Amino acid sequence: MRSWIKNRNILIGLIIISSLIIIAAFAPQVAPHDPTEVNSMVRLQPPSKEYPFGTDHMGRCILSRIVYGARISLLVGVAVISGSLFIGIVLGTISGYFGGLADDVIMRLVDGFLAIPSMFLALALAGTLGPGMVNLMIALIAVEWTSYARVVRGSILSVKEQDFVEATRGLGASDLYILVRHILPNIISPVIVIATLGIGYAILAAAGLSFLGFGVQPPTPEWGSMLDDGRLFMRKAPYIMVFPGLAIMITVLAFNFLGDGLRDEMDPRFRKEIPH
Amino acid sequence: MLEVINLDKCFSSGGMMKKKYIKVVDRISFQIGRGETFGLVGESGCGKTTAGKSTLRLIEPTSGKIVFDGIDVTKLKTKEMRKLRPRMQMIFQDPDASLDPRMKTERSIAEPLRLRGGLSKREIEERVMELIETVGLNPEHAHRYPYQMSGGQNQRVVLARALASNPDFIVADEPTSGLDVSVQAQILKLMNELKRDLNLTTMFITHDLEVVKHMSDRMAVMYRGKILEMGETENIFNCARHPYAQLLIEPQPSEDLGVQDAESENRNGDRPGCVFYPRCPFAEKNCMEKEPEMIKMNRDHQVLCHLV
């Protein structure tokens, strides 16, 4: 565990992500203003001491909205990936380890989902289900779970044929034991990597859908819908878009750093030093 | 100790509509006595590994009967089979692939002990260190991962792991073919010592005649899924009766035995007659039409050929 902290990617990722979590958790204390407070006296103000990131077209404090928006983005990202991971690992494991008819059915289902362009599917679902945060998450899980199912299935197929799995079965171990003790630990690195990267993608996609008006509804502060708010004033007041854009970028980047670093550390073969 | 009767293993290939069946192991029968080492030789692709794995039911035999220590293994249900498994262990060809890359030596060796249960943490630790010594490793190897050790060292770990479950019977599938020649000799020596000290019954699968001569008490020669000749190792080396066994033991320079391997031939055809017919230098008309039966030469020497 201590050596993980020494990895620079993990360190940077963790520092940014934990700061984001702290900011999100203590949003009322961190934010200088009420994020939904409309003040027509201070519309479209550039960054100042009072409003460090400026104000939007309704005179709301952009910094405060970003701080509160972190709550939504992190929640959506983590919830979408947890949901996708759960479905993907369960179905991918059944498909890859047991094979047969279950494999055929699950994989054809995945193919069906993949045949529809992902943004279109998410839009169609979000549109059909109606706006709202929960519906947004359902739409994104529907898009995301297939890649986990496929990665899990593929990794299990390659690991389960290896001699050490057969040798462990030869010791009298049960399928469940083999799956939990040998197969899942050996496939978890690629899954962790794509899951961490996936959080970034989910945050990005959620912002995109909110930008288009699906998902989180105003006046709730959300990074994607803030971009939409700033669209009309891009020339006059670019800071309305720049700061939420930066927030999205930094967050996605942090998850990418963490994902990369974790992959390096979790697979013993990637470790640089060999203990003697 | 172990008796295998008419063991058959077919693999199916092809899609859902048109299935092809390939017979990899074709009605083989053999017996192995307690404490005996039984060598199974044959060229690559002849089905010897499949025969070994089917014997342990690591792959399900298509038909046939396997009796291990009075127990009909083929009739056991999954749960009963799992209970029996520790008594029969397999050692695979590639030692690096036989160990979980995420497990250090001590954990790998401790796993069979943990699975069996009933031992305290300290007892397990002590037993692990004991086994590490038995197979000729140093205590410091306990904390290494498989990728930090050589093939020979890993094969020793595999041996220790197999021994940890106190087996009566071990199937060793080419345990030395992935190793350097100098290391091969060490591993073979170790296996011979262990066999003697622990009174293990072993089935030794190899393509290397020198190895089988050195290791086994009795042996069988396999070709295209069939046992062609079986008997005491010494007997077979001194007076092999089957043409194929003769060619293996004393290869003729004119014979293109090496060029044509068993895999390149069509195996699923239901051609009657002897499996070795297409390559047999002494083949007669009878050999093409009629399948030969096992002929007993003496108490323990059998040959599958029309011409003996």
Side-chain angles (χ1 to χ4, degrees):
Chain A
M1 191 63 202
R2 198 176 297 147
S3 77
W4 287 21
I5 305 299
K6 282 190 197 147
N7 183 301
R8 206 187 304 154
N9 284 346
I10 294 185
L11 194 64
I12 296 173
L14 274 182
I15 287 174
I16 300 176
I17 292 167
S18 39
S19 331
L20 281 167
I21 292 171
I22 290 168
I23 290 172
F26 295 100
Q29 284 75 36
V30 178
H33 297 274
D34 179 344
T36 53
E37 187 190 69
V38 177
N39 186 348
S40 53
M41 304 296 287
V42 290
R43 293 175 68 220
L44 301 175
Q45 291 216 342
S48 63
K49 228 180 185 168
E50 175 73 11
Y51 297 102
F53 287 179
T55 59
D56 65 6
H57 62 296
M58 291 166 90
R60 293 175 296 196
C61 169
I62 290 175
L63 174 61
S64 307
R65 288 180 70 72
I66 287 178
V67 166
Y68 275 88
R71 287 184 161 182
I72 308 229
S73 286
L74 288 178
L75 180 67
V76 169
V78 170
V80 165
I81 296 311
S82 311
S84 311
L85 262 182
F86 180 75
I87 300 173
I89 287 181
V90 170
L91 293 185
T93 304
I94 295 171
S95 190
Y97 190 75
F98 297 103
L101 183 67
D103 184 28
D104 286 339
V105 172
I106 292 169
M107 280 304 114
R108 292 304 80 76
L109 188 69
V110 168
D111 288 344
F113 269 90
L114 286 176
I116 311 168
S118 63
M119 209 54 193
F120 174 75
L121 180 63
L123 274 173
L125 273 173
T128 317
L129 294 169
M133 201 161 78
V134 176
N135 290 344
L136 174 76
M137 290 194 251
I138 293 173
L140 288 174
I141 289 174
V143 173
E144 278 281 277
W145 73 273
T146 50
S147 55
Y148 297 93
R150 286 176 77 98
V151 168
V152 168
R153 174 179 179 270
S155 317
I156 285 185
L157 281 181
S158 70
V159 172
K160 82 165 182 178
E161 291 302 324
Q162 287 188 36
D163 287 344
F164 70 81
V165 172
E166 202 157 32
T168 311
R169 182 172 303 123
L171 294 172
S174 63
D175 283 331
L176 190 67
Y177 177 93
I178 292 172
L179 270 172
V180 173
R181 290 298 182 86
H182 289 280
I183 294 190
L184 289 181
N186 272 294
I187 65 156
I188 208 70
S189 332
V191 173
I192 293 266
V193 174
I194 65 160
T196 337
L197 301 176
I199 294 181
Y201 171 80
I203 289 174
L204 212 56
L209 287 176
S210 300
F211 177 81
L212 294 170
F214 303 98
V216 186
Q217 293 303 298
T220 316
E222 203 277 341
W223 296 344
S225 53
M226 287 172 75
L227 286 176
D228 186 33
D229 289 343
R231 197 165 42 96
L232 294 169
F233 313 97
M234 200 160 73
R235 281 160 199 270
K236 213 168 136 197
Y239 43 85
I240 303 183
M241 289 189 90
V242 167
F243 290 112
L246 276 176
I248 294 172
M249 195 193 85
I250 289 170
T251 311
V252 174
L253 206 61
F255 281 105
N256 286 4
F257 274 134
L258 184 65
D260 265 6
L262 283 179
R263 181 193 52 204
D264 293 351
E265 289 303 315
M266 290 188 75
D267 193 329
R269 276 162 300 190
F270 278 115
R271 262 178 225 161
K272 283 176 197 100
E273 45 183 344
I274 293 174
H276 280 287
Chain B
M1 181 68 182
L2 180 88
E3 191 174 3
V4 172
I5 304 156
N6 285 338
L7 184 75
D8 244 351
K9 177 67 198 177
C10 289
F11 285 108
S12 59
S13 69
M16 280 195 272
M17 294 296 160
K18 217 176 160 187
K19 264 197 178 153
K20 268 185 177 173
Y21 289 96
I22 299 169
K23 228 174 199 189
V24 177
V25 173
D26 194 355
R27 280 193 293 123
I28 63 169
S29 304
F30 55 87
Q31 291 161 15
I32 307 177
R34 191 176 288 275
E36 189 178 76
T37 299
F38 180 73
L40 194 58
V41 273
E43 53 200 293
S44 55
C46 74
K48 51 193 195 298
T49 297
T50 310
K53 284 187 180 174
S54 305
T55 306
L56 298 186
R57 267 185 77 186
L58 281 173
I59 44 185
E60 275 321 304
T62 310
S63 66
K65 199 172 159 185
I66 300 157
V67 182
F68 170 75
D69 205 11
I71 307 162
D72 185 347
V73 177
T74 31
K75 288 224 175 72
L76 290 182
K77 298 201 182 74
T78 318
K79 246 193 171 159
E80 300 165 323
M81 191 64 216
R82 264 173 46 203
K83 274 205 183 123
L84 185 69
R85 286 208 182 280
R87 294 186 55 197
M88 31 210 300
Q89 287 296 302
M90 177 135 188
I91 293 163
F92 296 91
Q93 185 168 348
D94 181 355
D96 301 344
S98 315
L99 295 168
D100 189 329
R102 303 182 153 273
M103 282 196 179
K104 287 178 180 171
T105 302
E106 52 181 353
R107 251 185 90 197
S108 276
I109 300 176
E111 190 170 39
L113 302 167
R114 288 221 186 87
L115 276 167
R116 198 173 48 189
L119 287 173
S120 73
K121 239 181 157 178
R122 255 211 53 212
E123 284 169 318
I124 290 179
E125 250 169 63
E126 279 169 11
R127 181 87 182 106
V128 167
M129 293 321 280
E130 212 178 283
L131 283 161
I132 283 179
E133 205 176 309
T134 311
V135 297
L137 289 170
N138 297 325
E140 73 221 37
H141 291 126
H143 309 294
R144 295 219 184 138
Y145 285 100
Y147 74 97
Q148 294 167 330
M149 301 202 288
S150 69
Q153 287 169 334
N154 278 337
Q155 197 61 295
R156 287 172 193 269
V157 177
V158 171
L159 271 171
R161 192 171 135 93
L163 293 177
S165 54
N166 270 334
D168 302 305
F169 177 54
I170 289 187
V171 173
D173 181 11
E174 307 249 16
T176 56
S177 61
L179 307 172
D180 291 340
V181 181
S182 58
V183 184
Q184 278 185 17
Q186 290 171 19
I187 296 283
L188 291 176
K189 195 170 154 234
L190 173 66
M191 286 189 73
N192 257 338
E193 283 167 15
L194 291 172
K195 181 186 103 187
R196 202 185 50 225
D197 296 347
L198 305 170
N199 193 31
L200 289 172
T201 309
T202 322
M203 179 165 160
F204 205 97
I205 300 170
T206 182
H207 63 270
D208 189 331
L209 285 162
E210 281 309 308
V211 170
V212 90
K213 196 175 182 178
H214 183 69
M215 298 294 290
S216 62
D217 308 310
R218 286 173 61 243
M219 68 180 276
V221 177
M222 250 183 112
Y223 179 76
R224 290 181 67 183
K226 278 198 180 293
I227 287 180
L228 298 186
E229 184 158 4
M230 179 161 62
E232 278 169 24
T233 307
E234 210 177 322
N235 260 341
I236 291 187
F237 272 92
N238 288 337
C239 59
R241 301 300 299 268
H242 196 283
Y244 178 65
Q246 289 169 357
L247 282 170
L248 268 188
I249 289 160
E250 281 176 67
Q252 310 289 315
S254 61
E255 200 50 47
D256 60 349
L257 206 67
V259 180
Q260 201 181 20
D261 68 307
E263 279 167 310
S264 66
E265 287 172 37
N266 177 18
R267 277 220 272 193
N268 54 327
D270 294 317
R271 194 172 49 74
C274 174
V275 281
F276 190 56
Y277 170 76
R279 285 165 66 187
C280 185
F282 312 110
E284 289 174 357
K285 197 164 169 257
N286 193 24
C287 299
M288 186 175 72
E289 287 159 357
K290 210 173 135 223
E291 207 178 322
E293 294 285 322
M294 257 315 186
I295 295 163
K296 271 201 163 162
M297 305 304 296
N298 57 38
R299 196 177 52 80
D300 189 43
H301 191 170
Q302 300 174 59
V303 182
L304 189 78
C305 184
H306 285 305
L307 302 169
V308 288

